[in-house]
């Protein structure tokens, strides 16, 4: 049986030849895994950002169990250690990993509800996420790459950004100086960092009300975790009746810092570093392709700068 891929997955191919090869191989790969792992598909293929997810049933010791089969684009290093982190968490704070084939970037995961933290008010969601931190922020296994090492690769090109780049120069200097300090601090490494812990990567469960999925795990500092809760659900910060963006962002930041008992200055430093590096990546992408920033990229960079300002003044 060949599974049909939805248009959203077929569209991955537009990202380049390697993505097209991933899409082309998916029907066969999913078929093989379904057969080898003795699964029965129970619905359509869903798409994530860099993955496909197939709801399945598996016979586990005679009893049927709902699960999902997730296959990820194999060339992103950020997703490489997803199964390792899930295995390490062992279901605490996160979805249970039932089976994995890291070579094929395939995982069988406990089935959760599709309801994610977008269903809650953003500040309630921030409290939920902060409540997951103690379960997720455990000592890191040695295989995880360090978040500071990962970021330091961009230190030089970031320092070389032209003065007319769309990120204020003093913000770039500040991020570089903070990154240098954080890199020299042993507390910046050694804890499992989910690294992509935002509203859509926390799903409702049966065992627990909310569980994290989709880690881009690295060895890091818990204080580096809040940033994605600030830059996501942006429309609600700027939409009608939203109040001012700065107040909304600060409310999210302080809700997480307070509920998780983080050191405020350290959490702020990590927000600055992550947002400036995020902005840099967009600039670099456009540069690499030899074109000007498009409107979406300019909006994104403006957003990164707004987050840095909001947590500081
Ligand atoms: N264990 C699961 N149970 C139910 N749905 C899931 C599960 N894992 C992922 N999904 C669904 O698939 C989507 C994409 O999965 P995700 O792991 O976030 O991949 P991506 O890296 O592509 O964002 C999620 O937003 C969710 O709707
Ligand atoms: Mg996701």
């Amino acid at each position: 049986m060949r599974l049909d891929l939805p248009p959203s997955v077929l569209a991955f191919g537009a990202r380049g030849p390697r993505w097209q090869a991933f899409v082309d191989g998916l029907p066969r790969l999913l078929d093989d895994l379904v057969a080898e792992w003795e699964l029965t598909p129970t619905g359509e293929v869903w798409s994530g950002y860099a993955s496909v997810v197939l709801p399945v049933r598996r016979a586990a010791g005679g009893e049927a169990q709902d699960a999902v089969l997730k296959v990820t684009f194999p060339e992103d290093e950020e997703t490489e250690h997803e199964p390792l982190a899930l295995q390490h968490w062992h279901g605490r704070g996160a979805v249970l990993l039932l089976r994995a084939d890291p070579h094929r970037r395939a995982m069988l995961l406990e089935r959760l509800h599709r309801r994610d933290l977008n269903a809650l008010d953003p500040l309630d969601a921030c409290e939920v996420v902060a409540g997951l931190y103690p379960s997720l922020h455990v000592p890191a296994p040695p295989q995880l790459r360090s978040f500071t090492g990962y970021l330091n690769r961009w230190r030089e090109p970031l320092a070389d950004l032209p003065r007319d780049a769309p990120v204020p120069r003093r913000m770039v200097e500040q991020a570089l100086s903070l990154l240098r300090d954080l890199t020299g601090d042993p507390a910046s490494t050694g804890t499992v960092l989910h690294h992509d812990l935002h509203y859509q990567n926390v799903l409702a469960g049966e065992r627990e009300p909310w569980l994290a999925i989709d880690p881009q795990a690295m060895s890091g500092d818990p204080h580096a975790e809040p940033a994605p809760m600030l830059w996501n659900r942006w429309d609600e910060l700027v939409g009608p009746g939203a109040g001012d963006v700065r107040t909304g962002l600060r409310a999210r930041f302080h809700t997480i810092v307070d509920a998780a008992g983080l050191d405020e200055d350290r959490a702020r430093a990590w927000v600055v570093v992550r947002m400036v590096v995020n902005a840099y990546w967009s600039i670099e992408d456009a540069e690499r392709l030899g074109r000007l920033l498009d409107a979406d990229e300019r909006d994104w960079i403006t957003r990164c700068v707004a987050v840095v300002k909001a947590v500081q003044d």
Side-chain angles (χ1 to χ4, degrees), residues 48-51 70 82 194 196 198 200-202 213-216:
Y49 172 72
S51 68
K70 176 175 174 179
E82 178 172 3
H194 180 295
D196 195 26
H198 59 72
Q200 280 176 293
N201 280 343
V202 178
I213 60 166
D214 199 18
Q216 299 184 350

Side-chain angles (χ1 to χ4, degrees), residues 98-111:
L98 305 173
R99 186 166 183 170
D101 180 343
H103 186 65
R104 288 186 281 181
R105 293 286 181 107
M107 290 174 291
L108 190 67
L109 303 165
E110 159 193 31
R111 174 95 63 92

